[in-house]
Amino acid sequence: MKLYNTLTRKVEEFTPINDKRVKIYTCGPTVYSFAHIGNFTCYVYWDLLVRTLQLEGWPVDRVLNITDVGHLTSDADDGEDKMEKGAKREGKTVWEVAEMYMGDFLENFHALNMVEPTDICRATDFIKEDTQLVDALYEKGYLYDTTDGLYFDTSKFPKYADFARLDLEHLKAGARIEFSDEKRNPSDFAVWKWIRDGEDHAMQWEYRGRMGYPGWHLECSTIIHEKLGEPIDIHCGGIDHIPVHHTNEIAQTECAYGKKMANFWLHNNFITIEGQKISKSLGNVYMFSDLEEKGYSHMDYKMWVLQGHFQSERNFSFEDIAAAKQRLLNYRNFAALRWQKEATDMSEVRKAMMVQLENNLNSAGALAELDKSMSTNVPDEEFVKFLDDAFGLKIAESTPDISDELKTKIEKRFKAKKEKDFATADVLRDEISDEGIALLDGADGSIWQYAE
Ligand code: AMP
Ligand code: ZN
């Protein structure tokens, strides 16, 4: 299996470090507001990754974190805490805000029929472990204290710029000077923030005799250390995470534990909506509830995502999701043939689809192979299960066989039509249609299909 690895900027052959299980970490959401449909594209791609690995015969240990503390509105360690901001906006406590949006995130995550992660970890459950990581960095001399917090001195990690190919000189020239001039280098970042006099911050913990809270990047290093152990096989996140968040995760982990963090790094690109950036001011921050209102399900959305590639910028339009909905219906009706005709041997199709998926998760290519095969093939239950294993589109469960009664009615209608008793045929067709079933007439019978 080949994957594009941000670490080397190359498509590389993937093999697990431990040939029995694949360790994956995917950076999760900050739960301070509702996630929009753009935020969820990555989880569909990472679900495809997990499913493809499983089809390759490799069990996966996958950890997803939920950021419920310490993520500032800016990457530069200034700005408000996103959680505090959400709480103020809604007149709730930060804990209530976290609970509500985490609930909403997980509801959508499950509705998207994702393979359940081995662990879903909340950042606030790892504060003690966070402080142990800070201790380790402190003892090794990577940190310095400022009025704002404990900062990581990036000049002490010579590889700091490598991952994101950062131009540190350029960064220095363009640097804003924040909180006086205590920061030694523009790229230095807080691993632990102090609560300053008069500062209103609901989430705080005692550490080194003072109250404070973890820097945003810390939780991922901590949770990976606790739950998976370095190095992991694959670390996933958005491309926006490359220059700061992931660069800082690598610095913390490699300096604290002296081990490589991850062998492969996968980064998903962004989506635009009707050609524009997703933003509140443009009024295009669509949630799943907006899609539902227009008649599109979580599975229609997932189908739309799978038509693209995690590395490509995508543009979402309602025209395109309408086409994706139709395509998914076509697959379901292909699956419905398993109740009506004798199955053909689809092992070559399955192989061709796997070749595409193994090629850097080319789901679009795999779906094209499926499309090519459909006019001449009939799937069996096993092939339909393979489709669900690969894509998680709930094809099997959404295409049950119809009742014997309905089947008899379909036969009666066909017979009536053949005998030119069109009045009877039309009445029966309407009754069948009321059950959500459409008919395709052939020479010696009708094929039934789901109408939606
Ligand atoms: P935000 O809460 O807006 O910071 O978004 C959280 C994460 O979701 C970001 O770090 C991105 O990786 C991802 N994300 C945000 N907007 C988009 C988008 N339009 N398309 C794909 N991913 C996005
Ligand atoms: Zn992370």
Side-chain angles (χ1 to χ4, degrees), residues 205-258:
W205 292 267
E206 195 186 327
Y207 176 55
R208 294 179 180 251
R210 290 175 68 178
M211 299 309 284
Y213 59 98
W216 168 44
H217 319 295
L218 200 61
E219 65 187 71
C220 296
S221 290
T222 298
I223 292 169
I224 285 174
H225 185 67
E226 295 298 321
K227 289 289 172 182
L228 293 167
E230 307 81 9
I232 61 169
D233 291 287
I234 309 173
H235 194 315
C236 304
I239 45 167
D240 54 321
H241 289 158
I242 299 171
V244 179
H245 181 57
H246 287 164
T247 288
N248 292 350
E249 282 186 23
I250 290 170
Q252 292 165 164
T253 291
E254 301 204 354
C255 293
Y257 307 119

Side-chain angles (χ1 to χ4, degrees), residues 32 36 38-39 41 82 238 240-241 268-271 278:
Y32 71 113
H36 57 66
N39 297 130
T41 49
K82 285 189 175 182
D240 54 321
H241 289 158
N268 65 287
N269 214 317
F270 271 49
I271 69 156
I278 300 180

